[in-house]
Amino acid sequence: TQLLEQSPQFLSIQEGENLTVYCNSSSVFSSLQWYRQEPGEGPVLLVTVVTGGEVKKLKRLTFQFGDARKDSSLHITAAQPGDTGLYLCAGSTSGTYKYIFGTGTRLKVLA
Amino acid sequence: EPEVTQTPSHQVTQMGQEVILRCVPISNHLYFYWYRQILGQKVEFLVSFYNNEISEKSEIFDDQFSVERPDGSNFTLKIRSTKLEDSAMYFCASRAGTGPYGYTFGSGTRLTVV
């Protein structure tokens, strides 16, 4: 059974601080995605990474896929209250149509 | 922007009753999924559907569950005889293809079994 562990589970920081969220597995993924989920809503896709070592930027968010394609990180620079939410990683292994979701990191950014 | 529509947004049902959750995926998407999220827990895969048949299903998706795409636009999840532990948020998702395409999720149906 594939398992995607995210750390930390909860994070409460002040506006302007930087943070990194980690997503780790023992499985190798053909692609990995990051989503953000607001309460009562479905997850919204932020990024997809497919190549080991790949780095993608989305404004203040930087996503990295590990060289071995078993882990990923999300770094937020100068966090803002609007970044508050549940961040989910999701991985897909080759030969499957589905993504398996991680345990989630709940971020709260205080003004 | 195209979106996935789910109805109803909230359903309360008695234990043992059948429920049908409805979804309208994005029109040119080919792959359809149901996921669920029990309150405070992670998003769990239930089933994937492609070319009018189930392509994968999880252990959760037992004989009490079924999916259908009856008319080329709607995609439904039926739970035949609901249990208390079926209470969860159910999300429908669709994607254009396999490979590095992201899901577009609906806003979910909150199912409460009493």
Side-chain angles (χ1 to χ4, degrees), chain B residues 47-63:
Chain B
V47 66
S48 59
F49 193 85
Y50 168 69
N51 202 24
N52 283 320
E53 60 183 24
I54 290 173
S55 44
E56 279 182 272
K57 59 183 181 179
S58 71
E59 294 161 356
I60 303 166
F61 194 89
D62 61 21
D63 292 344

Side-chain angles (χ1 to χ4, degrees), chain B residues 9-52:
Chain B
S9 56
H10 192 184
Q11 174 132 16
V12 181
T13 190
Q14 294 225 321
M15 194 167 56
Q17 294 296 305
E18 174 183 287
V19 294
I20 297 176
L21 310 183
R22 300 179 195 280
C23 169
V24 179
I26 293 173
S27 60
N28 62 346
H29 282 189
L30 302 175
Y31 295 83
F32 313 110
Y33 303 81
W34 284 99
Y35 282 78
R36 79 172 184 191
Q37 188 175 31
I38 295 170
L39 189 63
Q41 297 187 24
K42 66 178 190 175
V43 177
E44 299 177 291
F45 169 75
L46 293 178
V47 66
S48 59
F49 193 85
Y50 168 69
N51 202 24
N52 283 320

